[in-house]
């Protein structure tokens, strides 16, 4: 009843042109987190990936994460996975699916598609050691009121491909025509504030450069602004030893 035309058609055959791909590791040893929660997360990701793989987003249509996945219930096979609640790790049915929404959001920033609904974690759990993507470049999700929605404002069809390998969650955005532009995502501003209650809040702005086929910059766009309560002290001498994006390691219920 919101007037949107939601994408629902799927196609097994991939569209011919790859626009952008990305992958994140399925398992990561985390301090004070039982590995069985991560193994259950993999089960949850496999179930959800089947609901999204191959979906076609036609011109004027909106991709909705939750409209395609639906509720995450035990009846559908979802297991207790890792949930981030007020900065603390808990367990919840369907937990860990934010690794999937993080992946889709990051890939979408590298395409002409428009993100129309996206939410950021309210807590920043990890220091920056080894961070390979800008802080705040993920998208949290919570059924059924924190959604990830993406609008196709172009005249071409796009296709989302999602698969789970033995080691990684892998995603692709594909199209009927080759890409005319590429995109570079970067942090434009970053600052930390000391709050009246004694803690720290981290802030930043994410921008992206638009490059043509000759790698010339033809645009520079504001993407989003992030604010998150820090769960660690600023200016730590060392942090995590991960080489992947920290936002994929602790995932909110999806």
């Amino acid at each position: 009843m919101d007037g949107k035309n939601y994408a629902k058609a799927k196609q097994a055959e991939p569209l011919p042109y790859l626009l952008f791909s990305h992958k994140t590791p399925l398992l990561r040893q985390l301090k004070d987190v039982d590995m069985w929660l991560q193994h259950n997360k993999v089960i949850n990701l496999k179930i959800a990936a089947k609901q999204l793989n191959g979906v076609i987003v036609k011109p004027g249509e909106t991709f909705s994460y939750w409209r395609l996945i639906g509720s995450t219930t035990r009846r559908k096979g979802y297991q207790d996975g890792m949930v981030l609640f007020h900065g603390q790790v808990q367990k919840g049915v369907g937990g860990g699916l934010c690794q999937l929404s993080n992946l889709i959001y990051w890939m979408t920033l590298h395409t002409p598609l428009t993100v129309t609904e996206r939410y950021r974690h309210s807590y920043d759990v990890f220091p920056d050691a080894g961070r390979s993507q800008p802080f705040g470049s993920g998208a949290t999700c919570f059924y059924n009121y924190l959604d990830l929605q993406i609008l196709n404002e172009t005249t071409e069809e796009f296709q989302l491909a999602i698969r789970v390998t033995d080691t990684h969650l892998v995603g692709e955005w594909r199209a009927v025509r080759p890409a005319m532009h590429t995109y570079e995502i970067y942090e434009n501003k970053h600052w930390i504030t000391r709050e009246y209650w004694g803690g720290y809040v981290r802030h930043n702005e994410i921008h992206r450069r638009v490059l043509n086929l000759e790698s010339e910059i033809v645009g520079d766009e504001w993407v989003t602004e992030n604010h998150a309560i820090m769960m660690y002290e600023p200016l730590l001498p060392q942090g995590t030893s991960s080489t992947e994006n920290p936002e994929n390691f602790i995932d909110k219920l999806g």
Side-chain angles (χ1 to χ4, degrees), residues 48-214:
K50 291 180 180 178
Q51 303 305 311
L52 302 182
N53 185 45
V55 66
I56 299 291
V57 186
K58 301 176 183 178
E61 288 188 338
T62 294
F63 166 92
S64 168
Y65 188 78
W66 286 125
R67 272 186 174 265
L68 291 167
I69 293 177
S71 59
T72 55
T73 63
R74 295 192 188 277
R75 181 176 58 83
K76 295 180 180 179
Y78 287 99
Q79 305 294 312
D80 282 335
M82 203 161 45
V83 177
L84 184 62
F85 184 74
H86 291 301
Q88 302 298 319
V89 174
Q90 299 182 5
K91 65 178 182 179
V93 179
L97 290 192
C98 279
Q99 181 170 348
L100 180 54
S101 59
N102 284 342
L103 179 84
I104 296 171
Y105 177 69
W106 177 250
M107 293 195 304
T108 303
L109 295 182
H110 294 81
T111 74
L113 296 169
T114 304
V115 177
T116 56
E117 183 176 344
R118 169 261 183 183
Y119 300 90
R120 155 75 187 153
H121 282 296
S122 299
Y123 293 84
D124 184 33
V125 180
F126 290 99
D128 274 359
R131 188 187 294 270
S132 59
Q133 295 171 205
F135 156 69
S137 57
T140 189
C141 55
F142 192 92
Y143 186 84
N144 60 350
Y145 61 93
L146 298 183
D147 200 5
L148 173 63
Q149 294 195 5
I150 300 162
L151 174 63
N152 183 359
E153 296 182 293
T154 77
T155 59
E156 307 289 346
E157 291 185 355
F158 292 79
Q159 182 185 40
L160 179 65
I162 299 290
R163 69 182 186 276
V164 179
T165 70
D166 291 339
T167 58
H168 287 81
L169 174 66
V170 183
E172 298 176 345
W173 272 116
R174 306 190 67 91
V176 294
R177 300 182 188 277
M180 300 301 295
H181 297 95
T182 57
Y183 303 87
E184 294 179 355
I185 314 304
Y186 69 97
E187 185 178 66
N188 185 50
K189 295 180 181 179
H190 177 266
W191 67 103
I192 295 173
T193 57
R194 179 71 181 267
E195 302 300 318
Y196 69 92
W197 40 268
Y200 295 88
V201 175
R202 185 174 185 174
H203 319 263
N204 80 343
E205 289 185 7
I206 302 294
H207 285 232
R208 71 174 185 175
R209 299 183 185 92
V210 184
L211 293 85
N212 62 19
L213 297 179
E214 287 72 41

Side-chain angles (χ1 to χ4, degrees), residues 25 28 30 38 82 126 242 244-251:
R28 179 69 60 178
L30 298 173
Q38 292 204 55
M82 203 161 45
F126 290 99
S242 165
E244 299 291 341
N245 181 18
E247 293 192 7
N248 293 317
F249 299 162
I250 289 191
D251 306 308

